[in-house]
């Protein structure tokens, strides 16, 4: 088995990783640093977004419960009143 045959059996995932690795060497350090900082900023901002979504979901739930009880109690008929 020659060298060419050994490389042909490489998985497509490994070939893709090797190609991406070669592309990173072509970039300058400033571009790599900017990309890393952007990824870190995106990672930390997701915490705020998640917290906001949880609070919004809780407020929506409370609003739904309030609306349910408001509609059920507001349509209640008062049977104590005499209709003379």
């Amino acid at each position: 088995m020659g060298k060419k045959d050994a490389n042909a059996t490489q998985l497509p995932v490994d070939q893709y990783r090797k190609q991406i690795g070669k592309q990173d060497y072509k970039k300058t350090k400033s571009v790599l640093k900017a990309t890393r900082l952007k990824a870190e900023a995106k990672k930390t901002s997701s915490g705020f977004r998640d917290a906001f979504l949880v609070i919004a979901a809780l407020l929506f739930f409370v609003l739904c419960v309030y609306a349910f009880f408001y509609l059920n109690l507001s349509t209640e008929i008062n049977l104590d009143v005499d209709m003379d």
Side-chain angles (χ1 to χ4, degrees):
M1 205 167 155
K3 186 175 181 181
K4 289 183 181 178
D5 293 336
N7 284 339
T9 61
Q10 203 174 33
L11 293 174
V13 173
D14 291 333
Q15 291 174 354
Y16 176 74
R17 288 179 182 157
K18 187 175 181 181
Q19 181 184 5
I20 295 298
K22 286 180 183 177
Q23 290 176 0
D24 278 346
Y25 286 121
K26 295 176 187 176
K27 296 178 183 176
T28 62
K29 286 188 176 185
S30 61
V31 172
L32 290 173
K33 186 176 181 180
T35 305
R36 188 183 79 240
L37 290 174
K38 185 178 177 183
E40 288 176 1
K42 187 176 182 182
K43 195 182 295 183
T44 58
S45 69
S46 68
F48 296 118
R49 187 183 64 198
D50 291 343
F52 175 75
L53 288 175
V54 168
I55 291 171
L58 288 174
L59 287 175
F60 181 74
F61 177 73
V62 169
L63 179 69
C64 288
V65 170
Y66 178 79
F68 175 76
F69 284 118
Y70 176 77
L71 292 174
N72 281 340
L73 295 177
S74 66
T75 58
E76 189 175 301
I77 299 172
N78 193 355
L79 299 174
D80 294 338
V81 177
D82 290 333
M83 300 296 280
D84 287 341

